Amino acid sequence: MTNRLAGTGSPYLRAHAENPVDWYPWGEEAFAEARRRDVPVLISIGYSTCHWCHVMARESFQDPATAEALNRGFVAVKVDREEHPEVDAAYMAAASAFTPDLGWPLTVFTTPSGRAFHAGTYFPPVARGQMPAFGTVLAAVREAWTDRRAEVEDLAAAVADALESSDATDPSPLPEEAALAAAAEEIVGREDRRYGGFGTAPKFPVATTLRFLQAEGRTDVVERALDAMAASELRDEDGGFFRYATQQDWSVPHYERMLIDNAQLLDVAIDAESPDVARGIAAFLLTELQRPDGGFGAAQDSESVIDGQRSEGGYYRRPVAARAGLQPPAVDGKVITGWNGLAIGALARAGSVLGEPAWIDAAVRAAETVLAVNRDAEGRLVRTSLDGEPSAAVATDADLGLLADGLFALALASGDARWATRGLEVLAADADADPVLAAYAIPAATDGGDGDLPSGASARAAAELTAWRLGAGEEHRERAAALVAARAGQALRHPFGSGALLRAAAGLARPQRQVVAVTSEPRGPLAIAARAADADLTAVLTPEQVRGFAAAGFTLFEERDGVDGVVHDCRGFVCLLPVSDPALVSIAR
């Protein structure tokens, strides 16, 4: 049996195409069929490198008896959370009403109108401890739907009403420097001084939090964390970092390797002046995750086949030299718009700092691919593509903000102002709501915090701030301020999960330093001194490139092309007299 998933743009969904379960992809068709049959909907959400998603697929979704019960009593929908993050967030929020143990695979039962009335995560084929068997759960849900329909619908309505009444925005004045310093100190107080990083187990890199601490000058804490992670099992021998460690000392990794973690850790490593770590991450990105068309795949799986058996982590536990004869774990080739924005920006910045033009070229290829391929028929950016085919999934605010900021970084690294112009175009676009969530008035999750990557508000605020620093107009700073102020109160109360928003707030709270080196020697002493300066934006450009930025409307660069071989040191567009001696370029603010 081949179900409806074979032709989708998700490797995760395609992996379930031969299941005996009569899967539907996310869309109106599934809910219309549930209404026609008057049955509940099972929504199973996961992603291609999720180990327990693979386990549940083998144990339950490939089992004919389980599939028969599912097909008889439900309409089954399979969702790739990376392709539809807003769907995942909406149902994760709803699931919190039913279980405190949230994660993936996420298993949600809904009415034919999409409203959740029961949820869980992984269910085993037979009862295990406190976990009921999946077949038992299916039977109980089916019995409730058949015999206690009014109770089920009342519960679904109550959950939806509770989600609609919640609001993550908490308007307040922009945080001042003292409040941001206090937030940083609260995070520092959670440091694991024995093993580095934060928390016990499982233990995550939390790159968004590390980036905020770097903005606040707590480089000691960041360097301890990065050094500990880099020296541990969390970092593979080839330089790429795994998703998280299951032990406090960074040992026993969860072996999947994500684009978002590695791209953000590349930025952390560059700011921490750890070139060896940065080079290892860049090598992993370019060797393992970059696709032939230039875009970056979403992740590399934790599982592979060794000696005919599925093995979680077995490939990575072998030395690199012993892997030559093994099939490497699969890469999820989805080219996700915002995630590629992170990689484009990180590689551009790292390539500029470390003098690696090939990294900048790789970022250019990725940018060209995303901007050309990840579009619908009307030319709007979409969330993902696979093998050159765009998905129907809409781009999110995070996609637009992260891609725009990556293009700004690429413009500065390459000296080509056209990338900055494209960044402004991306930033000017509005993100569309998921059409099914909108049509059924399914409460969307509030954009409340920064987890493994910046939230939509944080990503947009950061990009708006960069646009302002480039001289694109005061309105960009105003937009950044509005986004931060709407969420500042919540962020200050919960700083550990708000690193990206607080980093943007820091950029609004203190005078911004912009350093523009005008030189025809991009690796010369003057350029090196400019890059070493503690600045919020650094540009090392030839006079011709400076003229290109000025002609494109970026006022920071106006009238800066007159002399080749000077550095302009500015504070919010008010600049000191230019200097030509590298020794006179102040490293400190």
Side-chain angles (χ1 to χ4, degrees):
M1 174 181 179
T2 300
N3 53 48
R4 300 165 185 81
L5 305 185
T8 62
S10 162
Y12 175 63
L13 267 61
R14 291 184 180 186
H16 291 78
E18 299 295 331
N19 289 170
V21 177
D22 188 20
W23 291 112
Y24 284 75
W26 176 257
E28 160 61 22
E29 183 183 2
F31 295 97
E33 178 66 7
R35 290 195 302 275
R36 186 188 71 79
R37 291 175 51 199
D38 191 30
V39 296
V41 178
L42 166 84
I43 301 176
S44 176
I45 303 176
Y47 55 104
S48 67
T49 58
C50 165
H51 172 67
W52 286 103
C53 299
H54 297 325
V55 172
M56 192 168 178
R58 290 192 289 266
E59 292 176 343
S60 295
F61 300 141
Q62 294 176 12
D63 175 62
T66 303
E68 196 279 330
L70 258 176
N71 296 339
R72 183 178 65 251
F74 303 85
V75 167
V77 177
K78 179 60 74 172
V79 178
D80 183 337
R81 69 174 294 258
E82 296 170 351
E83 184 179 23
H84 293 283
E86 71 285 26
V87 175
D88 173 60
Y91 285 112
M92 188 66 74
S96 66
F98 305 99
T99 175
D101 301 318
L102 299 173
W104 300 276
L106 182 63
T107 307
V108 184
F109 298 92
T110 81
T111 67
S113 61
R115 296 195 163 190
F117 63 86
H118 187 64
T121 52
Y122 162 79
F123 290 109
V126 295
R128 190 179 303 161
Q130 297 298 312
M131 290 188 291
F134 187 47
T136 302
V137 174
L138 294 178
V141 169
R142 181 64 187 163
E143 182 273 332
W145 178 258
T146 303
D147 299 340
R148 293 179 280 115
R149 177 76 61 88
E151 180 181 332
V152 166
E153 291 180 337
D154 287 347
L155 176 59
V159 171
D161 289 344
L163 291 173
E164 285 180 322
S165 65
S166 66
D167 188 353
T169 61
D170 183 13
S172 65
L174 286 173
E176 297 181 351
E177 290 190 66
L180 293 167
E185 285 304 312
E186 182 176 334
I187 294 171
V188 168
R190 299 175 59 173
E191 183 188 13
D192 178 354
R193 292 303 297 267
R194 182 176 183 185
Y195 296 114
F198 304 93
T200 53
K203 203 165 187 180
F204 290 81
V206 289
T208 53
T209 301
L210 296 178
R211 295 290 284 148
F212 168 57
L213 292 180
Q214 287 180 317
E216 285 297 300
R218 293 311 307 264
T219 56
D220 55 333
V221 178
V222 176
E223 288 167 9
R224 283 194 292 269
L226 186 63
D227 289 347
M229 289 187 289
S232 76
E233 296 175 36
L234 190 73
R235 185 190 188 204
D236 186 58
E237 188 181 333
D238 70 5
F241 282 83
F242 297 111
R243 181 66 161 150
Y244 64 88
T246 63
Q247 304 300 311
Q248 185 177 353
D249 63 356
W250 298 109
S251 63
V252 193
H254 186 63
Y255 286 100
E256 62 186 303
R257 300 199 284 185
M258 309 292 290
L259 175 61
I260 53 174
D261 297 326
N262 283 278
Q264 292 180 99
L265 286 173
L266 178 53
D267 271 333
V268 171
I270 286 296
D271 276 7
E273 299 181 358
S274 297
D276 290 343
V277 175
R279 291 183 185 281
I281 296 172
F284 164 68
L285 294 176
L286 299 180
T287 303
E288 302 296 338
L289 292 191
Q290 192 160 33
R291 305 292 84 202
D293 65 1
F296 290 91
Q300 187 172 31
D301 209 334
S302 62
E303 295 187 4
S304 61
V305 176
I306 298 178
D307 298 329
Q309 301 293 320
R310 297 290 295 183
S311 170
E312 185 191 11
Y315 177 87
Y316 301 111
R317 286 192 291 269
R318 298 192 181 193
V320 167
R323 296 178 190 174
L326 298 177
Q327 177 92 22
V331 170
D332 184 326
K334 288 195 313 295
V335 175
I336 300 176
T337 296
W339 296 17
N340 270 255
L342 282 172
I344 290 164
L347 284 168
R349 285 183 286 266
S352 178
V353 170
L354 295 181
E356 294 286 353
W359 300 0
I360 301 172
D361 291 343
V364 167
R365 290 182 61 219
E368 290 172 341
T369 296
V370 171
L371 290 172
V373 176
N374 286 26
R375 293 189 182 276
D376 63 15
E378 285 72 45
R380 292 173 303 212
L381 282 166
V382 297
R383 168 74 176 171
T384 73
S385 64
L386 181 67
D387 298 331
E389 292 295 324
S391 165
V394 297
T396 66
D397 275 319
D399 287 319
L400 301 177
L402 294 174
L403 178 60
D405 218 27
L407 295 174
F408 294 145
L410 182 56
L412 292 172
S414 66
D416 189 343
R418 291 175 296 180
W419 292 118
T421 301
R422 300 298 298 274
L424 290 180
E425 293 169 357
V426 170
L427 196 54
D430 292 322
D432 295 323
D434 177 84
V436 177
L437 294 180
Y440 289 94
I442 300 170
T446 52
D447 188 11
D450 309 307
D452 52 5
L453 79 169
S455 69
S458 301
R460 274 199 176 268
E464 296 282 6
L465 198 54
T466 305
W468 171 74
R469 289 168 180 152
L470 285 166
E474 192 65 25
E475 66 273 17
H476 291 285
R477 188 184 189 283
E478 293 170 357
R479 290 177 196 142
L483 287 164
V484 170
R487 295 156 180 84
Q490 177 79 0
L492 291 173
R493 286 193 295 273
H494 304 285
F496 191 81
S498 306
L501 191 85
L502 293 174
R503 182 177 173 85
L508 293 162
R510 61 178 63 100
Q512 296 293 282
R513 185 184 186 190
Q514 302 132 303
V515 172
V516 180
V518 184
T519 174
S520 296
E521 299 180 13
R523 307 309 303 176
L526 197 66
I528 292 171
R531 291 191 181 99
D534 181 12
D536 300 288
L537 183 144
T538 301
V540 178
L541 306 171
T542 67
E544 182 180 0
Q545 290 168 342
V546 169
R547 287 191 287 274
F549 276 87
F554 297 99
T555 60
L556 175 63
F557 304 94
E558 289 181 352
E559 301 180 0
R560 305 269 186 246
D561 64 326
V563 179
D564 187 348
V566 296
V567 169
H568 301 270
D569 191 345
C570 310
R571 303 296 190 279
F573 304 98
V574 177
C575 304
L576 302 174
L577 290 174
V579 298
S580 57
D581 184 350
L584 298 179
V585 179
S586 175
I587 294 176
R589 286 179 178 267

